[in-house]
Amino acid sequence: MAKSREWMERLAGQLDAEALPGLPLVEIAGQNRVLIENHRGVCAYGRERIHVRVGYGEVSIRGCGLELAKMSREQLVITGRIDCVELIRRKG
């Protein structure tokens, strides 16, 4: 069992987000913060729903009191009570 855990830890270390440049990275911190890197802009914005474009579709964040706390070309931070984070793939 210890070897299996060791192997999984090594694999997780190798799958670091830095190894995948350009791909979106969505990080959820508790129930109050979402960080999205490598986004392509916000396509819908409201206090209960925010949709963010990514390379292969959209990331939908739903909750209560949502706001865009920080936005740059590389990343954006959404705060508020996060209820759901969903990937909506583009068809095709």
Side-chain angles (χ1 to χ4, degrees), residues 13-34:
Q14 292 174 356
L15 293 177
D16 190 10
E18 298 302 320
L20 306 170
L23 290 180
L25 173 69
V26 178
E27 184 177 291
I28 304 168
Q31 63 180 6
N32 297 316
R33 184 176 177 271
V34 174

Side-chain angles (χ1 to χ4, degrees), residues 6 19 23-24 47 52 83:
E6 218 174 277
L23 290 180
R47 300 286 289 164
V52 179
D83 292 332

